[in-house]
Amino acid sequence: MAYLKNVGTSDQSWESLKPELLVLGLFEGEKLSGFNLDVDDASGKAVSKCLSSGDFSGEQGKTRLLFPDGPAKRVMLVGLGKREEFSLDNLRQAAGTAVKTAQYNKWKSFVTEIPGMDALNESDEVVSQAFVEGLVLGSYKFLEYKTDKKDETILDSVSIINNPVRDGVERGRIIAEAVCFVRDLAFHPSNIMTPSRLASEAEKIASQFGMACKVYERDEFTEMGLGAFASVARGTDEPPKFILLEYQGGEKGDKPIAFIGKGITFDTGGISIKPSKAMDEMKYDMCGAAAVLGIFKAVGELKPNVNIVGAIATTENMPGGHATKPGDIVTAYNGKTIEILNTDAEGRLVLADALAYVVKNNDPQYMINFATLTGAVLIALGHIASGVMGTDRKLIEALIEAGEKSGERVWELPLWDEYCKDIKSKIADVKNIGAVRQAGTIAGGAFLKEFTGDIPWAHVDIAGTAWWSKDRPYIPSGPSGVGVRLSLELLNILA
Ligand code: BES
Ligand code: ZN
Ligand code: ZN
């Protein structure tokens, strides 16, 4: 969870707040001014001495702690890098770095202004939002299973002075909390974060915010014709769930925007079983579903004026006496037949039905699915960008723009006809894999496209971005909570 619980704004001067710690952001090669100069003057020139001695240059991501005499007991300098290169994401990173450094030193609170507000070509509200996202996301830790967590959770409040925009601060807090919720869902192991648990999390969100939620059980969705999803769930005794959420923020007849998530709570590969190395990471195969829940959590608080539906197909993918076998043919919700040549390409099967269901029953204006779909996207884009594919220029461009702005970048891959032919089956309509060792991520997208009817659709492959073993300034190692920030920004752009 996010351990930074109180992010407040204050109109008071920093001296009157009697800060335990002050955080100053500094650009490379710049003279002190404003707040920074003020603190320096009150601290026997401790900051300028540190700069002139060459002990701190303002390099992006670097920090320096000072303990001057005077009203500023402790001062943390945080490097912002070069002014010309400064971005919203650099700001989030600076905020995250400050929080982590304060946590590490076991300080309880700090006072800061939003650094570099004037260096960004964005409204003060957007800048305030990004800064708070960085603060709250940077304070995230997953300690649920540690019996002793007291030392790690000391920093709990930050006061922002010098005119932050309150609406931006609030939006940043809400979105970051939702991202941290997604990280928590993903961090829990598969014996805890079962499909039933995901369903109860969806129900909790729905009842908290007055949304509609419907959960279909195995028998029900099988009977309804979600044959592709049912085929994946055959190998597990853990009850699978088909979860639908509806938020009404627009007029009754307004077409909704749909978010659809892959919720494989553990992916063994099924009969096409995976190698055992790092198989534990396959507990994260529900990050698409978690993102959808996080979106609804944020939407519940932000209350945008649009209608939104969510659909999550969640199950374990297990081998077993009843499990689907390579070569089996099943019929999806839209009537298409699928030859399952690899039971480890299960995400596209559960999504096929979820997409087709939403097309038929919700007639959305746009639909966007999130899925940890292919290992191949990691080969193509690493952990830096999600792969995006789709059928609608406007939607793809909006996603790319939302990615830049939110810091959750996406990169488009083509769904050309030649690729789409690769998933045609000799004996069924389609098969669930493409050409051997070629364009694996695109094959996933090409397969999903078969189930999207004429609804403008985009598929976001988050297998690379949903988790990483590297600590970043505001994304600790483990699940990143990707999808929420991107989607909330997308809703802004589409509005
Ligand atoms: N859940 C995996 C994708 C994955 C792999 C995510 C590694 C994160 C890290 C997915 O279900 C899968 O196994 N995909 C196969 C597809 C293949 C059999 C066509 C893959 O990527 O190897
Ligand atoms: Zn798989
Ligand atoms: Zn999977």
Side-chain angles (χ1 to χ4, degrees):
M1 66 182 218
Y3 281 93
L4 179 57
K5 285 295 165 208
N6 309 297
V7 181
T9 58
S10 175
D11 299 329
Q12 284 174 262
S13 69
W14 64 268
E15 289 100 328
S16 61
L17 292 169
K18 303 210 178 343
E20 181 184 16
L21 169 69
L22 278 172
V23 173
L24 313 186
L26 271 73
F27 284 111
E28 240 174 285
E30 285 194 8
K31 288 220 187 75
L32 296 177
S33 62
F35 171 56
N36 292 355
L37 182 59
D38 206 36
V39 175
D40 190 42
D41 286 342
S43 312
K45 299 279 166 195
V47 183
S48 38
K49 279 180 198 157
C50 178
L51 295 182
S52 58
S53 67
D55 284 357
F56 185 78
S57 67
E59 192 185 326
Q60 155 84 25
K62 291 275 158 43
T63 58
R64 180 94 206 176
L65 300 174
L66 305 173
F67 302 87
D69 293 329
K73 257 188 8 193
R74 303 184 184 89
V75 175
M76 185 197 305
L77 309 181
V78 179
L80 304 176
K82 296 200 171 67
R83 177 176 287 266
E84 323 76 82
E85 290 168 10
F86 197 55
S87 66
L88 280 179
D89 211 56
N90 290 155
L91 178 64
R92 286 187 198 95
Q93 291 176 31
T97 299
V99 162
K100 288 173 103 169
T101 309
Q103 275 182 332
Y104 177 81
N105 286 285
K106 305 197 193 319
W107 292 321
K108 201 170 161 30
S109 64
F110 65 77
V111 171
T112 187
E113 67 168 14
I114 300 179
M117 198 111 145
D118 56 338
L120 293 163
N121 209 357
E122 300 284 353
S123 72
D124 289 357
E125 181 171 348
V126 165
V127 176
S128 302
Q129 177 190 331
F131 185 66
V132 174
E133 285 174 1
L135 291 175
V136 175
L137 292 172
S139 79
Y140 179 87
K141 286 172 191 286
F142 186 72
L143 305 171
E144 299 301 275
Y145 297 95
K146 293 277 187 196
T147 46
D148 176 10
K149 41 194 148 206
K150 55 180 183 301
D151 263 13
E152 310 232 23
T153 58
I154 292 176
L155 179 86
D156 74 352
S157 62
V158 171
S159 275
I160 310 175
I161 56 168
N162 300 343
N163 306 316
V165 179
R166 285 202 167 77
D167 286 352
V169 167
E170 186 58 4
R171 191 174 155 86
R173 185 193 63 75
I174 290 170
I175 292 177
E177 287 281 351
V179 174
C180 291
F181 166 71
V182 174
R183 291 178 182 174
D184 279 347
L185 295 179
F187 248 131
H188 280 293
S190 72
N191 58 326
I192 303 293
M193 197 48 62
T194 57
S196 306
R197 173 73 182 265
L198 285 175
S200 77
E201 295 292 338
E203 277 159 351
K204 228 193 286 173
I205 292 169
S207 76
Q208 188 179 354
F209 300 111
M211 301 169 180
C213 179
K214 172 82 193 142
V215 178
Y216 291 104
E217 305 296 325
R218 187 198 295 266
D219 294 351
E220 295 171 307
F221 69 72
T222 306
E223 174 72 26
M224 281 151 58
L226 281 74
F229 176 28
S231 77
V232 176
R234 282 179 64 85
T236 181
D237 290 335
E238 191 62 52
K241 309 277 171 177
F242 183 54
I243 306 168
L244 296 167
L245 275 164
E246 270 181 55
Y247 161 81
Q248 201 195 321
E251 298 300 317
K252 215 169 173 90
D254 290 354
K255 284 188 176 197
I257 294 178
F259 293 101
I260 294 139
K262 167 180 173 180
I264 301 297
T265 56
F266 198 85
D267 182 10
T268 66
I271 298 297
S272 313
I273 199 159
K274 286 182 180 296
S276 58
K277 185 170 171 272
M279 207 207 265
D280 59 291
E281 292 186 354
M282 284 301 124
K283 72 173 183 178
Y284 296 133
D285 212 18
M286 37 59 76
C287 283
V292 172
L293 292 180
I295 292 165
F296 274 82
K297 190 171 158 64
V299 158
E301 293 196 57
L302 294 169
K303 306 193 191 331
N305 299 323
V306 283
N307 295 335
I308 304 177
V309 304
I312 290 170
T314 175
T315 178
E316 292 181 339
N317 182 26
M318 295 282 280
H322 298 280
T324 293
K325 305 167 289 300
D328 287 0
I329 295 179
V330 299
T331 304
Y333 186 75
N334 69 350
K336 290 196 180 177
T337 55
I338 305 169
E339 185 184 15
I340 299 175
L341 289 177
N342 189 322
T343 64
D344 196 11
E346 84 299 337
R348 61 199 72 183
L349 297 172
V350 309
L351 283 175
D353 277 342
L355 287 165
Y357 183 92
V358 168
V359 169
K360 178 152 176 223
N361 298 285
N362 302 95
D363 189 27
Q365 45 171 322
Y366 293 110
M367 57 183 187
I368 300 102
N369 72 255
F370 288 99
T372 49
L373 208 73
T374 64
V377 79
L378 241 138
I379 308 295
L381 301 171
H383 296 282
I384 306 304
S386 304
V388 67
M389 287 138 272
T391 52
D392 188 82
R393 268 318 331 135
K394 188 175 160 214
L395 179 58
I396 298 275
E397 264 147 35
L399 276 163
I400 292 169
E401 187 188 335
E404 290 295 337
K405 208 157 173 184
S406 65
E408 294 189 339
R409 284 174 289 183
V410 302
W411 192 257
E412 189 184 6
L413 300 171
L415 285 185
W416 293 321
D417 281 352
E418 290 86 340
Y419 294 120
C420 294
K421 288 192 182 111
D422 286 342
I423 51 100
K424 297 292 176 196
S425 159
K426 288 205 176 85
I427 58 170
D429 295 332
V430 288
K431 58 185 166 79
N432 75 333
I433 53 173
V436 181
R437 293 181 61 81
Q438 292 174 41
T441 300
I442 297 176
F447 180 88
L448 294 178
K449 181 169 173 277
E450 298 282 330
F451 303 89
T452 59
D454 346 300
I455 306 294
W457 153 81
H459 155 52
V460 188
D461 192 334
I462 57 171
T465 50
W467 73 94
W468 197 5
S469 56
K470 185 174 153 177
D471 270 314
R472 287 174 281 177
Y474 68 90
I475 312 180
S477 76
S480 63
V482 71
V484 176
R485 291 190 287 137
L486 177 70
S487 300
L488 270 294
E489 196 52 55
L490 177 75
L491 289 174
N492 247 354
I493 292 169
L494 294 177

